[in-house]
């Protein structure tokens, strides 16, 4: 098992993969490390889709401007943000922080008001707020995967419109 220091120092973006499949228990452990990531108001707005189907991986690679290494990976984790979950989680999370006295009641009310005001906000406003939370969880995944000898690479160069990823995830079609 690597120390945190070793994992941080050894981590590299890996773009060539062995064809070996990854045991499901390892995927579960890796996802559990994402679950344990910190998030604002403990909203935990991340959602992850595990993709192993060849045809879906190919589509993902094509939508990522033909970064073919994506299709060659035994597992692709599509990392999503749940906007509704973020707003709901923020409201219940700030209440929890109020209940333990970590924040004053007036702050609880302010954050709750802000969350309900944000319900009508678009992705351009909400995206950056949620992205930080999801990014931390993703890096947990990257580092924990190394404990199982699994290399990975972040991919942001992706055209969501091309694959209509949002609709595919929402309709469980991925
Ligand atoms: C938010 C983010 C998006 C990235 N997107 C891509 C990508 O689309 N394709 C890719 O090959 N690498 C991508 N990378 C990996 C970076 O290119 C890589 O982290 C950087 O070159 C430093 O190399 P290292 O990770 O090996 O230290 C991304 C990294 C981050 C953090």
């Amino acid at each position: 098992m690597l120390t945190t220091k070793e994992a941080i120092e050894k981590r590299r973006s890996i773009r060539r993969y062995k064809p070996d499949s990854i045991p499901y228990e390892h995927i579960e452990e890796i996802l559990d490390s994402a679950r344990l990531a910190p998030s604002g108001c403990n909203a935990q707005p991340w959602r992850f889709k595990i993709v192993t189907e060849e045809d879906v991986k190919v589509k993902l690679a094509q939508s990522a401007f033909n970064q073919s290494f994506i299709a060659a990976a035994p597992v692709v984790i599509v990392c999503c943000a749940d906007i509704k979950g973020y707003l709901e989680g923020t409201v219940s999370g700030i209440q929890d922080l109020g209940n333990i006295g970590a924040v004053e009641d007036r702050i609880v009310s302010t954050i709750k008001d802000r969350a309900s005001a944000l319900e009508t906000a678009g992705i351009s406003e909400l995206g950056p707020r949620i992205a930080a939370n999801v990014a931390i969880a993703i890096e947990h995944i990257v580092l924990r995967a190394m404990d199982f000898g699994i290399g990975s690479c972040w991919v942001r160069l992706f055209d969501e419109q091309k694959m209509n990823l949002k609709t595919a995830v929402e309709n469980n079609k991925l």
Side-chain angles (χ1 to χ4, degrees):
M1 188 81 73
L2 300 167
T3 64
T4 309
K5 181 176 189 288
E6 286 166 341
I8 289 169
E9 287 178 357
K10 283 190 176 170
R11 187 211 55 78
R12 297 281 181 280
S13 290
I14 303 300
R15 300 180 181 86
R16 288 183 68 191
Y17 308 104
K18 293 178 185 161
D20 316 5
S21 61
I22 296 175
Y24 187 69
E25 308 83 70
H26 292 181
I27 306 269
E28 270 188 330
E29 290 242 17
I30 289 166
L31 288 179
D32 207 42
S33 73
R35 182 181 67 79
L36 295 170
S39 58
C41 294
N42 203 19
Q44 306 179 25
W46 44 71
R47 303 290 180 267
F48 299 102
K49 184 80 189 175
I50 303 297
V51 175
T52 53
E53 300 85 353
E54 295 303 326
D55 57 330
V56 184
K57 287 191 290 178
V58 167
K59 274 195 211 165
L60 286 168
Q62 287 168 347
S63 303
F65 301 92
N66 294 321
Q67 297 186 79
S68 55
F69 70 88
I70 297 167
V75 173
V76 177
I77 304 180
V78 178
C79 305
C80 307
D82 179 354
I83 294 176
K84 195 162 170 273
Y86 169 75
L87 294 171
E88 287 171 358
T90 297
V91 170
S92 64
I94 195 69
Q95 187 62 63
D96 290 342
L97 292 176
N99 291 345
I100 62 166
V103 289
E104 295 170 15
D105 287 347
R106 66 185 173 87
I107 302 294
V108 173
S109 304
T110 306
I111 301 286
K112 278 183 176 175
D113 290 348
R114 204 179 293 163
S116 60
L118 282 170
E119 271 168 27
T120 52
I123 189 70
S124 58
E125 193 170 346
L126 285 167
R129 293 165 193 259
I130 305 180
N133 296 286
V134 181
I136 296 168
I138 296 172
E139 194 59 8
H140 276 205
I141 288 175
V142 168
L143 294 174
R144 181 74 172 111
M146 292 177 68
D147 285 332
F148 302 104
I150 300 169
S152 62
C153 184
W154 280 68
V155 172
R156 177 64 196 91
L157 195 59
F158 189 87
D159 181 355
E160 286 91 350
Q161 305 306 325
K162 188 156 187 200
M163 198 171 159
N164 210 346
L165 193 59
K166 183 170 179 286
T167 310
V169 169
E170 282 172 355
N171 297 329
N172 219 10
K173 290 269 167 55
L174 200 63

